Amino acid sequence: MIGRPHVPQRITARHGFWRSLLAPVLALVFAAAPLTAPIATADDTQPTFRVKKGVNVFPFLWTPTPLKNGRFLGAGYVPVRSYFPLSNFSGIKAMGFDHVRLPVNVGPLVLASADELQARADYVFAQVDAISALGLKVLVDIHTPDKDRNSPYDAQSLVEGPGMFDALTRVVAAFAERTASRPSDRVALELFNEPQIECQTVGLWEGYLKTLVSVARRIAPDHTLVVTGACGGSLFGLLRLDPSSFDDPNILYSVHYYSPPEFIFQGYAPVTQDRAARYPPLFRWPATAQGASESVLAFGHSVADLWSKPSSWGYISSRFWQLVVYYGRGYDAGDIRQDFEGALAWAERYDIPPERLYLGEFGAPRPKLGLLPDYNADRLAWLSAVRQQAEASGIPWSYWCYGSYFGLFDEASGERDADMFVSLGLNIP
C-alpha cells in the first residue's frame, strides 16, 4: 500500500494509551526471546550441507571380501588403504573440489548380521572421519552395484525383493545414526543411489522413499539428506517425483545426467555389455551435419565386410537408423540447457530453490581404441557444457568419477588429464 492510511483521532489516542502501557512488557518479551526460541533466519530454510563442486570417489569402499553361502566374509570390505591411499584426498582438495560423494557398496551391509552391520558401518564412517579431517565435506552414498558384480542384488531387487527393503532400511538407520554424530555442515547422507524402479506408476517409488526419509530424519533431524527419482535417478525420474509427502528444507534432490546416451555410452560398457551393443562407436557431439558425414563414413567402413551376408542386413539397417535418428535430433548445448531448465521448473513447482537440486553424477568415458578420432575433443566440450550449465543454474555438482574408465587420470600411465581439468574448471596441482 502506498502512503499512510487515514486513522480516526479517537482510535489513534486509544492506541497511544495501550502503547504506553504495553511498551515495558514488550521490551521484556523481546529481551527474553533469545532464551526461548531464536528468530528464524534464511539459514533455517537452506540445507546444512552446502557444497559447490565435488567428485565421486570410485572405487573406494567398493570391493567386498569373498562371498560364501550368501554372506561376505570377515570385515565385508577389502581394506581401502590397500588400493586407495588417503593422500589421494589431499590431492582432491588441491584440485578445487569442496566435497566428495562416497559411493559405498551396500552388498556387505544388507547381507550382514546385526553385529556385522554395526561393525561395517563403523568402518565406513572411520573413513569418512579421515577424509573430513583433510578438509573435504563428505556425502555418504548408499550405492548398489549391478547384480552378480560385487553384490547378489541390484537396485531393483534390493527394494522389491522379499525382505530386502527391510534390510535396506536397517542400513539407512545405521548410517543415519553415525551421520547424526558428525557435524551437519560436514557430512550428509544419500539414502539410495539410482533406484531401478519403473517410474510410470504414480507414487510407487515415493512410497519407498517416504519410508527411508522418515527413518533417516527421525535419527538425524539436523543433517542434509539426498534423495532421487526412480528410473535410475535420471532426469526422467526426477520430473515424475512428487516430494510433497516428505520434503523439508534440508533435503537435496539428486539427478544423474548422461545424455545423449548414444554419445556417452558408445562402444564402451564395462558393466552392462548390452549398452555397447546398443550404441556403436559412431557418434559425435554436438550432432552437426559435418559430424553426420564422418559418422556415416565410419559406419560404411565398419560394415563393409557384412554387405555380402544377407543375414547381416537387418543389423546394418538398424545401425544406420540409429545414426539417422541421432543426427536428425541434432543434440547440442541447447539440449543440455533445456534439460536443466526442466529440472528447475520441477523444483519451482514444489517451491524448491535451485541450490537444493544436486547433479550427483555426470561424466563421459575416457578415449579408447575404436572410437572416432575426435571423440576426446567432443567429450571435453560436453563436460564443459554440462558443468557450466549446472553452475549457471546454481546447482552443485559431483563428477563421476575420480578413477576407473570415467576418471581424471589416464588408466595406463596414471597421468592427470590436464584438458579434462580445464573442462571441469579445476586447479592443476
Side-chain angles (χ1 to χ4, degrees):
M1 181 181 295
I2 299 175
R4 182 177 179 180
H6 172 72
V7 181
Q9 187 63 34
R10 59 187 178 86
I11 296 180
T12 304
R14 184 180 301 168
H15 283 196
F17 168 76
W18 285 109
R19 188 181 299 114
S20 64
L21 182 64
L22 292 175
V25 177
L26 291 174
L28 289 173
V29 169
F30 284 117
L35 301 177
T36 54
I39 298 173
T41 66
D43 288 349
D44 296 320
T45 60
Q46 295 181 7
T48 54
F49 185 81
R50 300 178 197 171
V51 293
K52 291 185 177 180
K53 58 183 176 183
V55 63
N56 285 267
V57 179
F58 177 89
F60 186 81
L61 287 168
W62 192 254
T63 306
T65 54
L67 183 67
K68 184 176 181 180
N69 298 325
R71 302 290 287 274
F72 288 100
L73 301 178
Y77 296 99
V78 172
V80 294
R81 308 293 171 82
S82 66
Y83 60 88
F84 199 100
L86 191 62
S87 59
N88 286 352
F89 291 98
S90 297
I92 289 172
K93 183 172 175 57
M95 295 172 194
F97 293 113
D98 60 3
H99 75 288
V100 294
R101 181 173 181 256
L102 206 61
V104 179
N105 182 349
V106 74
L109 300 165
V110 293
L111 298 178
S113 67
D115 289 341
E116 286 173 336
L117 173 57
Q118 297 304 314
R120 292 171 185 179
D122 284 341
Y123 178 73
V124 167
F125 277 81
Q127 314 313 312
V128 172
D129 292 340
I131 297 167
S132 183
L134 295 174
L136 288 164
K137 299 183 179 185
V138 184
L139 170 58
V140 182
D141 160 39
I142 298 176
H143 205 103
T144 305
D146 292 275
K147 192 173 183 179
D148 298 327
R149 188 173 183 266
N150 298 322
S151 174
Y153 300 99
D154 58 20
Q156 181 174 2
S157 60
L158 189 54
V159 172
E160 298 182 330
M164 294 314 300
F165 186 71
D166 289 340
L168 174 62
T169 302
R170 289 191 291 272
V171 174
V172 168
F175 274 33
E177 180 182 358
R178 287 155 180 80
T179 299
S181 65
R182 272 77 181 174
S184 62
D185 63 336
R186 306 295 303 172
V187 179
L189 178 61
E190 183 166 351
L191 303 184
F192 195 64
N193 174 75
E194 294 188 353
Q196 300 296 328
I197 307 300
E198 65 93 6
C199 47
Q200 297 289 2
T201 303
V202 176
L204 178 61
W205 170 236
E206 283 89 337
Y208 293 112
L209 189 53
K210 184 177 179 180
T211 298
L212 297 179
V213 170
S214 176
V215 168
R217 183 54 80 219
R218 184 179 67 252
I219 299 170
D222 301 322
H223 284 68
T224 298
L225 305 177
V226 179
V227 302
T228 190
C231 292
S234 64
L235 177 62
F236 185 82
L238 179 71
L239 297 182
R240 282 152 184 78
L241 179 68
D242 182 352
S244 303
S245 63
F246 56 80
D247 181 50
D248 69 50
N250 212 3
I251 290 179
L252 300 183
Y253 292 90
S254 175
V255 63
H256 294 180
Y257 194 78
Y258 297 102
S259 180
E262 295 92 337
F263 173 72
I264 300 299
F265 296 111
Q266 57 179 309
Y268 198 166
V271 177
T272 50
Q273 293 301 324
D274 60 318
R275 276 183 178 160
R278 277 187 285 156
Y279 305 130
L282 297 170
F283 300 97
R284 295 206 57 192
W285 188 93
T288 64
Q290 178 181 346
S293 298
E294 295 176 12
S295 293
V296 169
L297 182 61
F299 172 71
H301 286 305
S302 70
V303 298
D305 295 335
L306 300 179
W307 284 106
S308 60
K309 303 175 182 177
S311 59
S312 299
W313 290 352
Y315 167 83
I316 294 172
S317 176
S318 66
R319 284 289 183 261
F320 184 73
W321 183 246
Q322 281 184 316
L323 292 175
V324 170
V325 172
Y326 179 81
Y327 284 102
R329 177 65 177 77
Y331 290 101
D332 59 17
D335 293 279
I336 296 173
R337 182 176 62 255
Q338 189 174 54
D339 286 342
F340 276 77
E341 288 173 350
L344 291 170
W346 173 87
E348 184 177 9
R349 183 162 69 249
Y350 293 104
D351 199 27
I352 295 169
E355 59 269 21
R356 283 180 54 208
L357 293 175
Y358 179 65
L359 180 58
E361 292 183 18
F362 73 102
R366 299 187 54 76
K368 69 164 193 171
L369 292 176
L371 297 176
L372 295 177
D374 289 320
Y375 167 76
N376 192 46
D378 294 347
R379 175 183 73 108
L380 295 171
W382 183 89
L383 291 174
S384 181
V386 175
R387 189 262 303 176
Q388 291 179 11
Q389 187 61 56
E391 292 174 351
S393 303
I395 299 173
W397 56 265
S398 183
Y399 177 73
W400 182 274
C401 56
Y402 178 83
S404 190
Y405 54 99
F406 277 72
L408 300 170
F409 304 88
D410 182 87
E411 289 183 272
S413 68
E415 293 293 321
R416 67 173 64 94
D417 186 336
D419 291 332
M420 194 174 175
F421 277 54
V422 172
S423 290
L424 293 174
L426 303 176
N427 304 325
I428 301 179

Short mmCIF file of all heavy atoms in Angstrom, two decimals, residues 296-331:
data_model
loop_
_atom_site.label_atom_id
_atom_site.label_comp_id
_atom_site.label_asym_id
_atom_site.label_seq_id
_atom_site.Cartn_x
_atom_site.Cartn_y
_atom_site.Cartn_z
N VAL A 296 28.74 -41.46 -40.86
CA VAL A 296 28.26 -42.34 -41.93
C VAL A 296 29.45 -42.99 -42.63
O VAL A 296 29.42 -44.18 -42.98
CB VAL A 296 27.39 -41.55 -42.92
CG1 VAL A 296 27.11 -42.38 -44.17
CG2 VAL A 296 26.07 -41.15 -42.26
N LEU A 297 30.52 -42.21 -42.86
CA LEU A 297 31.71 -42.76 -43.50
C LEU A 297 32.32 -43.86 -42.63
O LEU A 297 32.67 -44.95 -43.12
CB LEU A 297 32.72 -41.64 -43.74
CG LEU A 297 34.02 -42.06 -44.46
CD1 LEU A 297 33.70 -42.60 -45.85
CD2 LEU A 297 34.98 -40.86 -44.55
N ALA A 298 32.44 -43.60 -41.32
CA ALA A 298 32.98 -44.61 -40.41
C ALA A 298 32.08 -45.83 -40.36
O ALA A 298 32.56 -46.98 -40.30
CB ALA A 298 33.14 -44.01 -39.01
N PHE A 299 30.78 -45.61 -40.40
CA PHE A 299 29.83 -46.72 -40.40
C PHE A 299 30.01 -47.58 -41.64
O PHE A 299 30.03 -48.81 -41.55
CB PHE A 299 28.41 -46.18 -40.34
CG PHE A 299 27.35 -47.22 -40.53
CD1 PHE A 299 27.09 -48.15 -39.54
CD2 PHE A 299 26.61 -47.28 -41.71
CE1 PHE A 299 26.11 -49.12 -39.71
CE2 PHE A 299 25.64 -48.24 -41.89
CZ PHE A 299 25.38 -49.17 -40.89
N GLY A 300 30.18 -46.94 -42.78
CA GLY A 300 30.39 -47.69 -44.02
C GLY A 300 31.60 -48.59 -43.95
O GLY A 300 31.56 -49.76 -44.37
N HIS A 301 32.69 -48.07 -43.39
CA HIS A 301 33.90 -48.88 -43.24
C HIS A 301 33.67 -50.04 -42.27
O HIS A 301 34.17 -51.14 -42.48
CB HIS A 301 35.06 -48.01 -42.73
CG HIS A 301 35.61 -47.08 -43.77
ND1 HIS A 301 36.07 -47.51 -45.00
CD2 HIS A 301 35.78 -45.74 -43.75
CE1 HIS A 301 36.50 -46.48 -45.71
NE2 HIS A 301 36.32 -45.38 -44.97
N SER A 302 32.90 -49.78 -41.20
CA SER A 302 32.72 -50.80 -40.17
C SER A 302 31.87 -51.98 -40.64
O SER A 302 31.99 -53.07 -40.09
CB SER A 302 32.10 -50.18 -38.91
OG SER A 302 30.75 -49.81 -39.13
N VAL A 303 31.01 -51.76 -41.64
CA VAL A 303 30.12 -52.84 -42.09
C VAL A 303 30.47 -53.32 -43.49
O VAL A 303 29.72 -54.10 -44.09
CB VAL A 303 28.64 -52.39 -42.04
CG1 VAL A 303 28.23 -52.05 -40.62
CG2 VAL A 303 28.38 -51.23 -43.00
N ALA A 304 31.61 -52.87 -44.01
CA ALA A 304 31.98 -53.21 -45.39
C ALA A 304 32.00 -54.71 -45.62
O ALA A 304 31.60 -55.20 -46.70
CB ALA A 304 33.34 -52.60 -45.73
N ASP A 305 32.43 -55.47 -44.62
CA ASP A 305 32.54 -56.93 -44.78
C ASP A 305 31.21 -57.65 -44.58
O ASP A 305 31.15 -58.87 -44.74
CB ASP A 305 33.56 -57.49 -43.79
CG ASP A 305 34.97 -56.98 -44.06
OD1 ASP A 305 35.25 -56.61 -45.22
OD2 ASP A 305 35.78 -56.93 -43.10
N LEU A 306 30.16 -56.90 -44.21
CA LEU A 306 28.89 -57.55 -43.90
C LEU A 306 27.88 -57.49 -45.04
O LEU A 306 26.87 -58.20 -45.01
CB LEU A 306 28.27 -56.90 -42.66
CG LEU A 306 29.11 -56.96 -41.38
CD1 LEU A 306 28.38 -56.24 -40.24
CD2 LEU A 306 29.40 -58.41 -40.99
N TRP A 307 28.15 -56.64 -46.03
CA TRP A 307 27.16 -56.47 -47.11
C TRP A 307 26.89 -57.76 -47.87
O TRP A 307 25.78 -57.98 -48.38
CB TRP A 307 27.62 -55.40 -48.09
CG TRP A 307 27.46 -54.00 -47.56
CD1 TRP A 307 28.44 -53.17 -47.13
CD2 TRP A 307 26.23 -53.29 -47.39
NE1 TRP A 307 27.91 -51.98 -46.70
CE2 TRP A 307 26.54 -52.04 -46.85
CE3 TRP A 307 24.89 -53.61 -47.64
CZ2 TRP A 307 25.57 -51.08 -46.55
CZ3 TRP A 307 23.93 -52.65 -47.35
CH2 TRP A 307 24.26 -51.42 -46.82
N SER A 308 27.87 -58.60 -47.94
CA SER A 308 27.71 -59.85 -48.70
C SER A 308 26.93 -60.91 -47.94
O SER A 308 26.68 -62.00 -48.46
CB SER A 308 29.09 -60.41 -49.09
OG SER A 308 29.85 -60.69 -47.93
N LYS A 309 26.55 -60.59 -46.70
CA LYS A 309 25.83 -61.57 -45.88
C LYS A 309 24.41 -61.06 -45.63
O LYS A 309 24.19 -60.18 -44.79
CB LYS A 309 26.55 -61.75 -44.54
CG LYS A 309 28.01 -62.19 -44.69
CD LYS A 309 28.70 -62.24 -43.33
CE LYS A 309 30.16 -62.62 -43.47
NZ LYS A 309 30.87 -62.61 -42.18
N PRO A 310 23.43 -61.61 -46.35
CA PRO A 310 22.04 -61.15 -46.16
C PRO A 310 21.57 -61.22 -44.70
O PRO A 310 20.73 -60.42 -44.29
CB PRO A 310 21.24 -62.11 -47.05
CG PRO A 310 22.21 -62.53 -48.10
CD PRO A 310 23.54 -62.62 -47.41
N SER A 311 22.13 -62.13 -43.93
CA SER A 311 21.71 -62.25 -42.53
C SER A 311 22.12 -61.02 -41.71
O SER A 311 21.61 -60.81 -40.61
CB SER A 311 22.34 -63.50 -41.90
OG SER A 311 23.76 -63.45 -41.96
N SER A 312 23.04 -60.22 -42.25
CA SER A 312 23.52 -59.03 -41.54
C SER A 312 22.78 -57.77 -41.96
O SER A 312 23.02 -56.71 -41.36
CB SER A 312 25.02 -58.83 -41.79
OG SER A 312 25.77 -59.93 -41.31
N TRP A 313 21.91 -57.87 -42.94
CA TRP A 313 21.28 -56.65 -43.45
C TRP A 313 20.37 -55.99 -42.39
O TRP A 313 20.25 -54.78 -42.34
CB TRP A 313 20.49 -56.96 -44.72
CG TRP A 313 21.40 -57.28 -45.89
CD1 TRP A 313 22.75 -57.17 -45.93
CD2 TRP A 313 21.00 -57.80 -47.15
NE1 TRP A 313 23.25 -57.58 -47.14
CE2 TRP A 313 22.17 -57.98 -47.93
CE3 TRP A 313 19.77 -58.16 -47.71
CZ2 TRP A 313 22.15 -58.47 -49.22
CZ3 TRP A 313 19.75 -58.64 -49.00
CH2 TRP A 313 20.93 -58.80 -49.76
N GLY A 314 19.72 -56.80 -41.58
CA GLY A 314 18.90 -56.23 -40.52
C GLY A 314 19.74 -55.44 -39.53
O GLY A 314 19.35 -54.35 -39.09
N TYR A 315 20.90 -56.00 -39.18
CA TYR A 315 21.82 -55.31 -38.27
C TYR A 315 22.29 -54.00 -38.89
O TYR A 315 22.30 -52.95 -38.22
CB TYR A 315 23.01 -56.22 -37.99
CG TYR A 315 24.17 -55.53 -37.31
CD1 TYR A 315 24.19 -55.35 -35.93
CD2 TYR A 315 25.25 -55.06 -38.06
CE1 TYR A 315 25.25 -54.71 -35.31
CE2 TYR A 315 26.32 -54.42 -37.45
CZ TYR A 315 26.31 -54.25 -36.07
OH TYR A 315 27.38 -53.62 -35.47
N ILE A 316 22.67 -54.03 -40.15
CA ILE A 316 23.15 -52.83 -40.83
C ILE A 316 22.06 -51.77 -40.87
O ILE A 316 22.30 -50.59 -40.59
CB ILE A 316 23.62 -53.18 -42.27
CG1 ILE A 316 24.85 -54.09 -42.21
CG2 ILE A 316 23.91 -51.92 -43.06
CD1 ILE A 316 25.27 -54.64 -43.55
N SER A 317 20.84 -52.19 -41.18
CA SER A 317 19.73 -51.25 -41.25
C SER A 317 19.45 -50.59 -39.90
O SER A 317 19.24 -49.37 -39.82
CB SER A 317 18.47 -51.99 -41.73
OG SER A 317 17.36 -51.12 -41.73
N SER A 318 19.48 -51.38 -38.83
CA SER A 318 19.19 -50.82 -37.50
C SER A 318 20.27 -49.84 -37.07
O SER A 318 19.98 -48.79 -36.47
CB SER A 318 19.03 -51.95 -36.48
OG SER A 318 20.25 -52.63 -36.29
N ARG A 319 21.53 -50.18 -37.38
CA ARG A 319 22.63 -49.29 -37.03
C ARG A 319 22.52 -47.97 -37.81
O ARG A 319 22.73 -46.89 -37.25
CB ARG A 319 23.97 -49.96 -37.32
CG ARG A 319 24.36 -51.00 -36.31
CD ARG A 319 24.73 -50.31 -34.99
NE ARG A 319 25.18 -51.26 -34.00
CZ ARG A 319 24.44 -51.75 -33.02
NH1 ARG A 319 23.18 -51.38 -32.92
NH2 ARG A 319 24.92 -52.59 -32.14
N PHE A 320 22.22 -48.05 -39.07
CA PHE A 320 22.11 -46.84 -39.88
C PHE A 320 20.95 -45.98 -39.38
O PHE A 320 21.05 -44.75 -39.33
CB PHE A 320 21.91 -47.20 -41.36
CG PHE A 320 21.88 -45.99 -42.25
CD1 PHE A 320 23.03 -45.29 -42.53
CD2 PHE A 320 20.68 -45.54 -42.79
CE1 PHE A 320 23.00 -44.16 -43.35
CE2 PHE A 320 20.64 -44.43 -43.61
CZ PHE A 320 21.81 -43.73 -43.89
N TRP A 321 19.86 -46.61 -38.99
CA TRP A 321 18.72 -45.86 -38.49
C TRP A 321 19.07 -45.14 -37.19
O TRP A 321 18.58 -44.02 -36.95
CB TRP A 321 17.53 -46.79 -38.28
CG TRP A 321 16.29 -46.06 -37.85
CD1 TRP A 321 15.64 -46.17 -36.66
CD2 TRP A 321 15.55 -45.10 -38.61
NE1 TRP A 321 14.55 -45.34 -36.61
CE2 TRP A 321 14.47 -44.67 -37.80
CE3 TRP A 321 15.71 -44.56 -39.89
CZ2 TRP A 321 13.55 -43.72 -38.24
CZ3 TRP A 321 14.79 -43.61 -40.33
CH2 TRP A 321 13.72 -43.20 -39.50
N GLN A 322 19.91 -45.73 -36.35
CA GLN A 322 20.37 -45.05 -35.15
C GLN A 322 21.06 -43.73 -35.50
O GLN A 322 20.85 -42.71 -34.84
CB GLN A 322 21.34 -45.93 -34.36
CG GLN A 322 20.68 -47.01 -33.52
CD GLN A 322 21.70 -47.78 -32.70
OE1 GLN A 322 22.76 -48.13 -33.20
NE2 GLN A 322 21.39 -48.02 -31.45
N LEU A 323 21.88 -43.77 -36.54
CA LEU A 323 22.57 -42.55 -36.95
C LEU A 323 21.59 -41.52 -37.46
O LEU A 323 21.71 -40.32 -37.16
CB LEU A 323 23.60 -42.88 -38.04
CG LEU A 323 24.80 -43.72 -37.63
CD1 LEU A 323 25.66 -44.06 -38.84
CD2 LEU A 323 25.63 -42.98 -36.59
N VAL A 324 20.61 -41.95 -38.24
CA VAL A 324 19.62 -41.03 -38.78
C VAL A 324 18.86 -40.33 -37.65
O VAL A 324 18.68 -39.10 -37.65
CB VAL A 324 18.63 -41.77 -39.71
CG1 VAL A 324 17.45 -40.87 -40.09
CG2 VAL A 324 19.35 -42.27 -40.96
N VAL A 325 18.43 -41.11 -36.66
CA VAL A 325 17.67 -40.54 -35.54
C VAL A 325 18.53 -39.59 -34.73
O VAL A 325 18.11 -38.48 -34.36
CB VAL A 325 17.11 -41.67 -34.64
CG1 VAL A 325 16.48 -41.09 -33.38
CG2 VAL A 325 16.08 -42.48 -35.42
N TYR A 326 19.76 -39.99 -34.44
CA TYR A 326 20.65 -39.18 -33.59
C TYR A 326 20.95 -37.84 -34.25
O TYR A 326 20.79 -36.77 -33.63
CB TYR A 326 21.94 -39.94 -33.33
CG TYR A 326 22.95 -39.19 -32.49
CD1 TYR A 326 22.83 -39.15 -31.11
CD2 TYR A 326 24.02 -38.52 -33.09
CE1 TYR A 326 23.76 -38.45 -30.34
CE2 TYR A 326 24.94 -37.83 -32.33
CZ TYR A 326 24.81 -37.80 -30.95
OH TYR A 326 25.72 -37.11 -30.19
N TYR A 327 21.38 -37.88 -35.49
CA TYR A 327 21.75 -36.62 -36.15
C TYR A 327 20.52 -35.83 -36.57
O TYR A 327 20.57 -34.60 -36.65
CB TYR A 327 22.68 -36.89 -37.33
CG TYR A 327 24.08 -37.21 -36.87
CD1 TYR A 327 24.56 -38.52 -36.84
CD2 TYR A 327 24.92 -36.20 -36.43
CE1 TYR A 327 25.84 -38.80 -36.39
CE2 TYR A 327 26.20 -36.47 -35.98
CZ TYR A 327 26.65 -37.77 -35.95
OH TYR A 327 27.92 -38.03 -35.49
N GLY A 328 19.42 -36.51 -36.80
CA GLY A 328 18.19 -35.78 -37.06
C GLY A 328 17.72 -35.01 -35.85
O GLY A 328 17.15 -33.92 -35.97
N ARG A 329 17.99 -35.56 -34.65
CA ARG A 329 17.64 -34.88 -33.40
C ARG A 329 18.53 -33.66 -33.17
O ARG A 329 18.11 -32.66 -32.58
CB ARG A 329 17.77 -35.89 -32.26
CG ARG A 329 17.52 -35.34 -30.87
CD ARG A 329 16.07 -34.89 -30.70
NE ARG A 329 15.84 -34.42 -29.34
CZ ARG A 329 16.24 -33.23 -28.86
NH1 ARG A 329 16.88 -32.41 -29.67
NH2 ARG A 329 16.00 -32.89 -27.62
N GLY A 330 19.79 -33.74 -33.62
CA GLY A 330 20.68 -32.59 -33.55
C GLY A 330 21.10 -32.20 -32.14
O GLY A 330 21.05 -31.02 -31.77
N TYR A 331 21.53 -33.14 -31.33
CA TYR A 331 21.91 -32.85 -29.94
C TYR A 331 23.04 -31.81 -29.86
O TYR A 331 24.04 -31.91 -30.57
CB TYR A 331 22.38 -34.13 -29.25
CG TYR A 331 21.28 -35.11 -28.98
CD1 TYR A 331 21.11 -36.22 -29.80
CD2 TYR A 331 20.43 -34.95 -27.89
CE1 TYR A 331 20.10 -37.15 -29.55
CE2 TYR A 331 19.42 -35.87 -27.63
CZ TYR A 331 19.26 -36.97 -28.47
OH TYR A 331 18.27 -37.88 -28.23
#
